[in-house]
Amino acid sequence: MSVVTELGYLGLSVSDLAAWRAYAAEVAGMEVVDEGEGDRLYLRMDLWHHRIVLHADGSDDLAYMGWRVAGPQEFAAMQEKLSAAGIPFTVGSEVEASERRVLGLLKLADPGGNPTEIFFGPQVDTHKPFHPGRPMFGKFLTGSQGIGHCILRQDDVEAAARFYELLGLRGSVEYHLPLPNGMVAQPYFMHCNDRQHSVAFGLGPMEKRINHLMFEYTDLDDLGMAHDIVRGKKIDVALQLGKHANDQALTFYCANPSGWLWEFGWGARHSTGQQEYYTRDIFGHGNEAAGYGMDIPL
Ligand code: MBD
Ligand code: FE
């Protein structure tokens, strides 16, 4: 059985590469690598060549997400599994693989139409220490937990759940959130490793493919420093500091230069085998800046 092991990389389409360069480095602390191509920047969070590519093609949305499988056998088995399930995909050419700095990749789309890639063999630059874009107390928490998690647009939550189950993720509804209009939001969270969720959906209609990317610091002081910087720069905060009931991470959500959210976090617990659901968060996460798709009573 071939399963994805982690969310390994993201491509983001952006309109303001200069603003993104400053935000990624000075606010988040990521290492910005410019290889002189002109149309893109790479963001490092660890020893990988990159974890995020910023493509200056203007749509200010998710361009693609990359799910890792262990190696060539799993890569071949995944192709068989997708074919048997009738899910169309293409095998990336050598040029496409080297553009992503991987040994092999598949390109497909999830049921929400989000460009999805399955890859093995990332380029890891062990000779090049991670150099944060601003001073950091610790590191980004990546490794076997991958880059973090994304909340995606899915019009058909059941179809999305079946697709990500096929890839090897598990999960279900983790909240029943009563809404002011009488409906109950039932967001769906899925994991494939110790990270409590790597992908989630079911928060209702969304303008963009992605609502937020969550990433995690190893040190609480880095989250606090990021929060001070965000407040100092008067960046919109959509959800104030608080602790989620499911991953129990201390997080806040602020706008990025593309007008969607980055969720800065620390201290998440690991995924558990047993499903649970919650009716609210532990504390905090008050709504502040409206219009980012997070105007929900967490
Ligand atoms: C999350 O990471 C999240 O983004 C939401 C909306 C709820 C629980 C955990
Ligand atoms: Fe989140």
Side-chain angles (χ1 to χ4, degrees):
M1 261 310 245
S2 171
V3 295
V4 299
T5 57
E6 74 231 33
L7 178 59
Y9 63 73
L10 288 182
L12 307 181
S13 294
V14 310
S15 53
D16 191 343
L17 205 53
W20 265 100
R21 183 195 282 265
Y23 178 86
E26 294 161 23
V27 181
M30 293 181 188
E31 178 178 352
V32 178
V33 177
D34 185 344
E35 297 195 348
E37 289 139 303
D39 67 343
R40 67 194 66 188
L41 290 174
Y42 301 96
L43 302 183
R44 289 183 95 213
M45 298 169 66
D46 51 25
L47 295 180
W48 284 34
H49 175 270
H50 66 268
R51 289 292 191 164
I52 296 174
V53 188
L54 303 174
H55 294 276
D57 56 13
S59 73
D60 286 312
D61 204 346
L62 176 71
Y64 49 85
M65 54 202 307
W67 295 93
R68 185 184 194 178
V69 293
Q73 288 86 1
E74 290 79 7
F75 187 66
M78 182 60 78
Q79 293 174 56
E80 281 174 26
K81 195 158 80 166
L82 291 170
S83 297
I87 295 174
F89 63 89
T90 60
V91 181
S93 66
E94 244 174 75
V95 170
E96 287 173 311
S98 70
E99 185 189 357
R100 294 284 190 267
R101 309 302 197 284
V102 298
L103 293 176
L105 85 156
L106 310 176
K107 295 193 177 189
L108 59 160
D110 80 7
N114 303 303
T116 299
E117 301 180 358
I118 297 173
F119 72 96
F120 78 97
Q123 178 180 327
V124 181
D125 291 338
T126 53
H127 61 285
K128 199 180 159 199
F130 170 67
H131 184 84
R134 61 159 171 81
M136 276 177 66
F137 294 97
K139 296 174 188 292
F140 290 98
L141 185 80
T142 56
S144 60
Q145 295 191 44
I147 182 176
H149 73 245
C150 294
I151 298 238
L152 299 177
R153 179 174 62 204
Q154 302 289 352
D155 302 326
D156 184 339
V157 167
E158 281 307 312
R162 297 294 88 74
F163 174 84
Y164 285 101
E165 277 170 8
L166 187 78
L167 261 50
L169 291 92
R170 295 168 44 78
S172 186
V173 170
E174 291 187 351
Y175 286 86
H176 282 181
L177 297 169
L179 300 174
N181 66 6
M183 310 256 292
V184 179
Q186 300 194 29
Y188 203 108
F189 295 80
M190 301 190 77
H191 66 272
C192 53
N193 54 48
D194 279 347
R195 190 176 291 284
Q196 199 274 336
H197 56 285
S198 292
V199 69
F201 37 81
L203 273 175
M206 289 165 42
E207 248 170 72
K208 296 180 186 284
R209 291 169 172 163
I210 190 167
N211 171 271
H212 68 263
L213 162 68
M214 182 268 202
F215 56 86
E216 205 177 329
Y217 297 109
T218 59
D219 275 52
L220 173 58
D221 292 347
D222 282 314
L223 183 70
M225 186 185 262
H227 190 260
D228 277 359
I229 293 168
V230 164
R231 289 310 195 178
K233 291 182 184 290
K234 305 216 179 315
I235 294 169
D236 275 1
V237 171
L239 287 183
Q240 296 163 343
L241 277 168
K243 246 182 114 177
H244 284 304
N246 60 356
D247 64 11
Q248 304 189 358
L250 180 66
T251 73
F252 69 94
Y253 298 59
C254 68
N256 65 40
S258 287
W260 50 277
L261 299 172
W262 271 15
E263 179 183 7
F264 292 60
W266 168 82
R269 69 168 169 169
H270 287 178
S271 46
T272 60
Q274 304 288 96
Q275 196 70 45
E276 295 180 354
Y277 84 99
Y278 318 95
T279 58
R280 52 160 291 166
D281 271 348
I282 299 172
F283 68 81
H285 282 149
N287 290 124
E288 195 173 300
Y292 291 99
M294 270 294 162
D295 311 304
I296 48 170
L298 271 172

Coordinates of all heavy atoms in Angstrom, one line a residue, residues 125-162:
D125 N 19.5 20.2 1.0 CA 20.8 20.8 0.9 C 21.5 20.8 2.3 O 21.5 21.8 3.0 CB 20.7 22.3 0.4 CG 20.3 22.3 -1.0 OD1 20.5 21.3 -1.8 OD2 19.7 23.3 -1.5
T126 N 22.0 19.6 2.6 CA 22.6 19.4 4.0 C 23.8 20.2 4.2 O 24.3 20.4 5.3 CB 22.9 17.9 4.2 OG1 23.7 17.5 3.1 CG2 21.7 17.1 4.3
H127 N 24.4 20.8 3.1 CA 25.6 21.6 3.1 C 25.3 23.0 3.4 O 26.2 23.8 3.6 CB 26.4 21.5 1.8 CG 25.6 22.0 0.7 ND1 24.5 21.3 0.1 CD2 25.6 23.2 0.0 CE1 24.0 22.0 -0.9 NE2 24.6 23.2 -1.0
K128 N 24.0 23.4 3.5 CA 23.6 24.8 3.5 C 22.7 25.0 4.8 O 21.5 24.7 4.7 CB 22.8 25.1 2.2 CG 22.7 26.6 2.0 CD 21.9 26.8 0.7 CE 21.4 28.2 0.7 NZ 20.3 28.4 -0.3
P129 N 23.3 25.4 5.9 CA 22.5 25.6 7.1 C 21.3 26.5 6.9 O 21.4 27.4 6.1 CB 23.5 26.2 8.1 CG 24.8 25.9 7.6 CD 24.7 25.8 6.1
F130 N 20.2 26.2 7.5 CA 19.0 27.1 7.5 C 19.4 28.4 8.1 O 20.0 28.5 9.2 CB 17.9 26.5 8.2 CG 16.7 27.4 8.4 CD1 16.0 27.9 7.3 CD2 16.4 27.9 9.6 CE1 14.9 28.8 7.4 CE2 15.3 28.8 9.8 CZ 14.6 29.3 8.7
H131 N 19.2 29.5 7.3 CA 19.5 30.8 7.8 C 18.3 31.7 7.8 O 17.8 32.2 6.8 CB 20.6 31.4 6.8 CG 21.1 32.8 7.3 ND1 22.1 32.9 8.1 CD2 20.7 34.0 6.9 CE1 22.4 34.2 8.3 NE2 21.5 34.9 7.6
P132 N 17.7 31.9 9.0 CA 16.4 32.5 9.0 C 16.4 34.0 8.5 O 17.5 34.6 8.6 CB 16.0 32.5 10.5 CG 17.3 32.3 11.3 CD 18.2 31.5 10.3
G133 N 15.3 34.4 8.0 CA 15.2 35.8 7.4 C 15.3 36.9 8.5 O 15.4 38.1 8.2
R134 N 15.0 36.5 9.7 CA 15.2 37.4 10.9 C 15.7 36.5 12.0 O 15.5 35.3 11.9 CB 13.9 38.1 11.2 CG 12.8 37.1 11.6 CD 11.7 37.8 12.4 NE 10.5 37.0 12.7 CZ 10.4 36.0 13.6 NH1 11.4 35.7 14.4 NH2 9.3 35.4 13.7
P135 N 16.2 37.1 13.1 CA 16.7 36.2 14.2 C 15.6 35.3 14.7 O 14.4 35.8 14.8 CB 17.1 37.3 15.2 CG 17.5 38.5 14.5 CD 16.5 38.5 13.3
M136 N 15.9 34.1 15.0 CA 14.9 33.2 15.5 C 15.5 32.4 16.7 O 16.7 32.2 16.8 CB 14.5 32.1 14.5 CG 13.4 32.6 13.6 SD 12.9 31.4 12.3 CE 12.2 30.1 13.2
F137 N 14.7 32.2 17.7 CA 15.1 31.4 18.9 C 15.3 29.9 18.6 O 16.2 29.3 19.1 CB 14.1 31.6 20.0 CG 14.0 33.0 20.6 CD1 13.0 33.8 20.1 CD2 14.9 33.4 21.5 CE1 12.9 35.1 20.6 CE2 14.8 34.7 22.0 CZ 13.8 35.6 21.6
G138 N 14.4 29.4 17.7 CA 14.4 28.0 17.4 C 14.3 27.8 15.9 O 14.9 28.5 15.1
K139 N 13.5 26.8 15.5 CA 13.4 26.5 14.1 C 11.9 26.4 13.8 O 11.1 26.5 14.6 CB 14.0 25.1 13.9 CG 15.5 25.0 14.2 CD 15.9 23.5 14.1 CE 17.3 23.3 14.5 NZ 18.4 23.8 13.7
F140 N 11.7 26.1 12.5 CA 10.4 25.7 12.1 C 10.2 24.2 12.3 O 11.2 23.4 12.1 CB 10.2 26.0 10.6 CG 10.0 27.4 10.3 CD1 11.1 28.1 9.8 CD2 8.8 28.1 10.5 CE1 11.0 29.5 9.6 CE2 8.7 29.4 10.2 CZ 9.8 30.2 9.8
L141 N 9.1 23.8 12.8 CA 8.8 22.3 13.0 C 8.4 21.7 11.7 O 7.3 21.9 11.3 CB 7.7 22.2 14.1 CG 7.5 20.7 14.5 CD1 8.5 20.3 15.5 CD2 6.1 20.5 15.1
T142 N 9.2 20.9 11.1 CA 8.9 20.3 9.8 C 9.2 18.8 10.0 O 8.5 18.1 10.7 CB 9.7 20.9 8.7 OG1 11.1 20.9 9.0 CG2 9.3 22.4 8.5
G143 N 10.3 18.3 9.3 CA 10.6 16.9 9.4 C 9.5 16.0 9.0 O 8.8 16.2 8.0
S144 N 9.3 14.9 9.8 CA 8.3 13.9 9.4 C 6.9 14.5 9.5 O 5.9 13.9 9.0 CB 8.4 12.7 10.3 OG 8.2 13.0 11.6
Q145 N 6.7 15.7 10.1 CA 5.3 16.3 10.1 C 5.1 17.2 8.9 O 4.0 17.8 8.8 CB 5.2 17.1 11.4 CG 5.2 16.2 12.7 CD 4.7 16.9 13.9 OE1 3.8 17.7 13.9 NE2 5.5 16.8 15.0
G146 N 6.1 17.3 8.1 CA 5.9 18.2 6.9 C 5.8 19.6 7.2 O 6.2 20.1 8.3
I147 N 5.4 20.4 6.2 CA 5.5 21.9 6.3 C 4.4 22.5 7.2 O 4.7 23.5 7.9 CB 5.2 22.4 4.8 CG1 5.4 23.9 4.7 CG2 3.9 21.9 4.3 CD1 5.2 24.3 3.2
G148 N 3.3 21.8 7.4 CA 2.2 22.4 8.2 C 0.9 21.9 7.7 O 0.8 20.7 7.3
H149 N -0.2 22.7 7.8 CA -1.5 22.3 7.2 C -2.1 23.4 6.4 O -1.8 24.6 6.6 CB -2.4 21.8 8.3 CG -3.0 22.8 9.2 ND1 -2.8 22.9 10.6 CD2 -3.9 23.8 9.0 CE1 -3.4 23.9 11.1 NE2 -4.1 24.5 10.2
C150 N -3.0 23.0 5.5 CA -3.7 23.9 4.7 C -5.2 23.7 4.8 O -5.7 22.5 4.9 CB -3.4 23.7 3.2 SG -1.7 24.2 2.8
I151 N -6.0 24.8 4.8 CA -7.5 24.6 4.7 C -7.8 25.0 3.3 O -7.5 26.1 2.8 CB -8.2 25.6 5.7 CG1 -7.8 25.2 7.1 CG2 -9.7 25.5 5.5 CD1 -8.9 24.8 8.1
L152 N -8.5 24.1 2.6 CA -8.8 24.2 1.2 C -10.2 24.3 0.9 O -11.1 23.9 1.7 CB -8.3 22.9 0.5 CG -6.8 22.6 0.6 CD1 -6.5 21.2 -0.1 CD2 -6.0 23.7 0.0
R153 N -10.5 24.9 -0.3 CA -11.9 24.9 -0.8 C -12.3 23.6 -1.3 O -11.5 23.0 -2.1 CB -12.0 26.0 -1.9 CG -13.4 26.1 -2.5 CD -13.5 27.2 -3.5 NE -12.6 27.0 -4.6 CZ -12.1 28.0 -5.4 NH1 -12.4 29.3 -5.1 NH2 -11.3 27.8 -6.4
Q154 N -13.4 23.1 -0.9 CA -14.0 21.8 -1.4 C -15.5 22.0 -1.5 O -16.1 22.2 -0.5 CB -13.7 20.6 -0.5 CG -12.2 20.3 -0.2 CD -11.4 19.8 -1.5 OE1 -12.0 19.5 -2.5 NE2 -10.1 19.7 -1.4
D155 N -16.0 21.9 -2.7 CA -17.5 22.0 -2.8 C -18.2 20.8 -2.3 O -19.3 20.8 -1.9 CB -17.9 22.3 -4.3 CG -17.2 23.6 -4.8 OD1 -17.0 24.5 -4.0 OD2 -16.8 23.6 -6.0
D156 N -17.5 19.6 -2.5 CA -18.1 18.3 -2.1 C -17.1 17.7 -1.1 O -16.1 17.1 -1.4 CB -18.1 17.5 -3.4 CG -18.8 16.1 -3.1 OD1 -18.9 15.7 -1.9 OD2 -19.3 15.5 -4.1
V157 N -17.5 17.9 0.2 CA -16.7 17.4 1.3 C -16.5 15.9 1.3 O -15.4 15.4 1.5 CB -17.2 17.9 2.7 CG1 -16.6 17.2 3.8 CG2 -17.1 19.4 2.8
E158 N -17.6 15.2 1.0 CA -17.5 13.7 0.9 C -16.5 13.3 -0.1 O -15.7 12.3 0.1 CB -18.8 13.1 0.7 CG -19.7 13.0 1.9 CD -19.0 12.3 3.1 OE1 -18.4 11.2 2.9 OE2 -19.0 12.9 4.2
A159 N -16.6 13.9 -1.3 CA -15.6 13.5 -2.4 C -14.2 13.8 -2.0 O -13.3 13.0 -2.3 CB -16.0 14.3 -3.7
A160 N -14.0 15.0 -1.3 CA -12.7 15.3 -0.9 C -12.1 14.3 0.1 O -11.0 13.9 0.0 CB -12.7 16.8 -0.3
A161 N -13.0 13.9 1.0 CA -12.6 13.0 2.1 C -12.1 11.7 1.4 O -11.1 11.1 1.8 CB -13.7 12.8 3.1
R162 N -12.9 11.2 0.4 CA -12.6 9.9 -0.2 C -11.3 10.0 -1.0 O -10.4 9.1 -1.0 CB -13.7 9.5 -1.2 CG -15.1 9.2 -0.6 CD -15.1 8.0 0.3 NE -14.8 8.3 1.7 CZ -15.6 8.9 2.5 NH1 -16.8 9.3 2.2 NH2 -15.3 9.2 3.8

